[in-house]
Amino acid sequence: MQEIEVYFRKFKSIILILLLVLIVFGYMISKIVPVVTDIYEISKNYKTAVTNLADKERTLQNLKEKTAKAEAENNNTPKDVFKPIEKGMDTESVIANEFSEILTLIRGNAIKTRSIKYEYDPKDDNFVKNVPDKYHVAKLDIEMICTYKEFESFLKELYKHEHFLDMASFEIVPYDKDKKILIIKFQLKLYAEK
């Protein structure tokens, strides 16, 4: 009987040790499994992010190449000088059509004009000095009021304008009472064939 008690105690100790090992093992698994799951998710998200980044970089590179190509084409293609419908008209009549296109751009971008002063065939212009019998020239001094965004949009459209013109100078000052509003003094030269 004593032997049975000894075996029973040993058995009880082994069971207790096994139970304790199982509890510790279970506790360790309960702590390790979420960490392993998190590592797996992070790894999967990282691979997805790397793939997306590579796609975005390829797209960005393609857009840069297309932009560079378009800019090169725009820079290589000279703009035509405005041609009037009828020959032999005076400067004011010929430039009026070109001037109306510029006014349309100004209005289309919600820009307010304070004043527009103009001078026909200014003596200091190179076209007037060197080929006076070939081109009409009008120098416009425009004072405008607009936001940064409106002015940016106007400049983009002016840059895309189909006829040759010269943006001679800009003076940009923020309005004292609201810095988001700009007061712009802008000099523009319009050209047309005679």
Side-chain angles (χ1 to χ4, degrees):
M1 177 100 167
Q2 219 173 19
E3 280 180 25
I4 293 178
E5 270 183 39
V6 171
Y7 283 124
F8 185 67
R9 272 191 218 152
K10 283 183 182 178
F11 182 71
K12 207 174 173 185
S13 297
I14 291 172
I15 294 288
L16 233 113
I17 291 171
L18 280 175
L19 190 59
L20 190 58
V21 167
L22 283 174
I23 289 172
V24 169
F25 186 69
Y27 178 76
M28 288 175 60
I29 287 178
S30 71
K31 294 294 180 184
I32 291 173
V33 167
V35 172
V36 170
T37 304
D38 288 346
I39 290 171
Y40 174 74
E41 286 296 319
I42 289 170
S43 172
K44 192 167 76 173
N45 289 341
Y46 175 77
K47 288 177 184 174
T48 303
V50 166
T51 303
N52 286 342
L53 178 61
D55 289 343
K56 299 293 182 197
E57 285 176 341
R58 275 193 300 278
T59 303
L60 178 62
Q61 188 60 35
N62 289 341
L63 288 173
K64 283 181 180 178
E65 289 170 3
K66 287 179 183 176
T67 302
K69 184 179 177 183
E71 285 177 358
E73 287 175 4
N74 283 342
N75 290 338
N76 292 337
T77 308
K79 294 185 177 186
D80 292 329
V81 174
F82 181 78
K83 292 180 180 133
I85 297 171
E86 278 183 50
K87 298 275 184 194
M89 296 169 56
D90 68 339
T91 303
E92 188 175 349
S93 301
V94 172
I95 294 292
N97 292 326
E98 185 74 358
F99 180 60
S100 70
E101 290 177 10
I102 301 303
L103 286 177
T104 302
L105 287 178
I106 290 172
R107 286 186 202 113
N109 287 290
I111 295 174
K112 294 168 186 65
T113 53
R114 268 188 169 176
S115 67
I116 299 176
K117 296 175 187 168
Y118 49 88
E119 179 183 355
Y120 294 114
D121 297 323
K123 304 293 182 228
D124 63 339
D125 185 77
N126 285 331
F127 282 75
V128 174
K129 285 181 197 175
N130 299 319
V131 281
D133 57 329
K134 191 166 182 180
Y135 296 104
H136 293 290
V137 180
K139 180 173 78 171
L140 307 175
D141 289 304
I142 306 170
E143 192 170 339
M144 305 184 289
I145 301 171
C146 58
T147 64
Y148 288 91
K149 195 70 180 161
E150 292 165 346
F151 188 58
E152 176 189 24
S153 178
F154 169 70
L155 285 179
K156 284 181 181 175
E157 288 185 33
L158 197 59
Y159 180 74
K160 293 177 190 175
H161 186 66
E162 65 181 314
H163 299 117
F164 177 75
L165 49 83
D166 181 19
M167 293 180 258
S169 67
F170 293 97
E171 182 184 322
I172 303 172
V173 178
Y175 183 59
D176 288 336
K177 295 180 182 177
D178 185 357
K179 300 295 183 195
K180 293 182 275 183
I181 304 294
L182 301 174
I183 299 173
I184 301 164
K185 292 181 181 176
F186 176 48
Q187 190 178 88
L188 180 69
K189 290 183 182 178
L190 304 176
Y191 299 91
E193 288 186 3
K194 285 193 172 185

